[in-house]
Every structure is written in C-alpha cells, then in structure tokens.
C-alpha cells in the first residue's frame, strides 16, 4: 500500500472541503492530507485530495481548469449569490426569454473581468471576505481576469411562478466563481440571480467517473489512496525518464540538461519512481519540487 498519492473524492453536500480533509486524515491515519481547490458546502463533486508527499502536487491541481454543472435561479438575488444566503431582492422573471438567457450567458464567456462574490475565501487585509460580511461589513472585491472557456445552456425551466431556473455546463479557469456567473447573468437580465445547485464534474483530467465516495473510502481504509504518487504525476504532467546519473543529480536538487519539454513536467528514475517536478529555464532543467524519498 502506498501512503503517498491522490484520492479523487465525490464530495457530498453539506460538508466543507476541510471536513473532507479531516475525514481522510482519520481514514488514512496521517495528518499529512490536503485538498486541491475548495468546494463550497452546498457544492458536490470532484475534490482532489493529496496524502503524504502528494500534498506537494496540490499547488498544480489548484491551478488546473475546472468543469461544473449548475443551476441558476433568475428572479431572486441573495447576499451570498447562492441558495445558502438570505434573499435580498426579488423581481418577477417570467418575461425573461430563452434567447435573453443565451445572450446574457454569451456575454460571460471567454476572458472576462469577474468580481468575486463578497462571501468568498479571498483575504481582505488579512481576513477572509466572508468573515467580514458576516460581521456586518460591506466588502467590495476588485475584479479579476478569468477565462470561461465553455458556458453551455442545458435547459430553461419555468416550474415555479415568477422565477426561471437555468441549467448550465461550465468549463473555466481556476479562480472563477460560478456564483458570480449566476449573479451577473441575473444583473444583465435585470431580475437578479443566484446559484441553487453546483456539482464539480472535473478538475483538470480528473473526472467524476473515477471518484470515490466517503462511504466507499471508509470501507477500504486505511488503503484509501486511489492514485499512488508516481501514477498521479504521470496523469497530470508530461513525462521525462532519467538515467541513473541524472536521477542522482536531480534527487539532490541539481539541474539537468534540458529536454525541450514544455513544463512543468515529471521526471522518473530508472526504477519508475517519481523524482521531481521540473521546469526548463535559462538553458537548464531545474526542480520545482523534489519528491524522491530522502
């Protein structure tokens, strides 16, 4: 059994990402556990967990593109931009047309400047924005450039009077707030909007099809790691195989000759073990992180 690796968890609703980390720490019998990108308690779906040395890969996982399915309710705005917050404005949305919804979503596609939800984990003067809001402060966060590479309209439903529920499928860059897409679509249509459902379907090339539930992990504990360290790196990065001398140099933090691979990439030793994550600059291949056992 490898204690170093990644677990692709299907996070249930009602739990924070830290709650999931705490559960995995107990199941894996180690404190060295982290997650690769927060999911709100309301949200479900793909949460990548790192165990042992694989926690050092999570900085790359966090920066990967994400995919989601979501439901936007038009006609109501909330303080949190999702269903967990109090409704602060209602505007009958019955007159909103399907074409109007398509136009509003189209304007939120591509490279956009997005203002994050005030109730977010972004720090303002050292304190999380959501804590400031809960303490009664008015928080205004600066816009950030994000990329929404795909924003597909799946369905428009009119099952409840005066509101319109819109199902969407999104692929976006790290740092994009789906709650903000719901809010901004509602603002563009003049009726307000918020998120009522969110499911993350992929993080990079880790998808729902390979997730495990917490109940499934409980059954196989402590053997909870789904992708051992070398396999995880092989999935996430381009690969370079090093000879014995190169492996020795790199495992001690020394540089290698460049291989012309667009980095970062993973370097493996003759035994197939992961040595380091490397990038090439100034004519040398240098380790960003060394992962070979000491």
């Amino acid at each position: 059994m490898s204690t170093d690796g990644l677990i692709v968890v299907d996070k249930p609703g009602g739990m924070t990402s830290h709650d999931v980390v705490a559960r995995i720490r107990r199941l894996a019998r180690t404190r060295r556990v982290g997650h690769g990108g927060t999911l709100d308690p309301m949200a479900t779906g793909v949460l990548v967990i790192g165990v042992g040395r694989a926690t050092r890969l999570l900085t790359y996982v966090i920066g990967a593109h994400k995919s989601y399915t979501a439901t936007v309710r038009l006609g109501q705005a909330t303080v949190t931009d999702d269903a967990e917050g109090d409704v602060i404005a209602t505007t009958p949305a019955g007159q909103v047309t399907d074409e109007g919804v398509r136009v509003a979503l189209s304007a939120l596609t591509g490279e956009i400047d997005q203002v994050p939800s005030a109730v977010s984990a972004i720090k303002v003067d050292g304190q999380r924005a959501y804590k400031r809001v809960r303490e009664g402060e008015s928080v205004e966060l600066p816009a950030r450039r994000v990329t929404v590479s795909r924003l597909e309209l799946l369905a428009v439903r009119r099952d409840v009077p005066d509101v319109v529920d819109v199902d969407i499928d999104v692929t976006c860059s790290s740092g994009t707030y789906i709650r903000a897409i719901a809010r901004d679509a509602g603002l563009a249509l003049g009726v307000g909007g918020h998120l009522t459902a969110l499911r993350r379907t992929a993080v990079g090339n880790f998808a729902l099809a390979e997730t495990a539930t917490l109940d499934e992990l409980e059954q196989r504990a402590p053997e909870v790691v789904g992708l051992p360290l070398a396999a995880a790196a092989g999935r996430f990065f381009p690969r370079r195989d090093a000879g014995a001398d190169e492996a020795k140099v790199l495992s001690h933090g020394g540089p290698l000759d460049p291989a012309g691979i667009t980095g970062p990439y993973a370097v493996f030793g003759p035994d197939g073990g992961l040595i380091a994550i490397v990038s090439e600059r100034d004519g040398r291949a240098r380790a960003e992180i060394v992962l070979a056992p000491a």
Side-chain angles (χ1 to χ4, degrees), residues 154-167:
L154 299 179
V156 178
R157 295 179 285 110
R158 305 171 189 276
D159 305 325
V160 180
D162 295 331
V163 301
V164 176
D165 290 318
V166 179
D167 298 326

Side-chain angles (χ1 to χ4, degrees), residues 203-214:
V203 174
N205 62 359
F206 300 118
L208 273 174
E210 65 186 297
T211 58
T213 66
L214 290 175

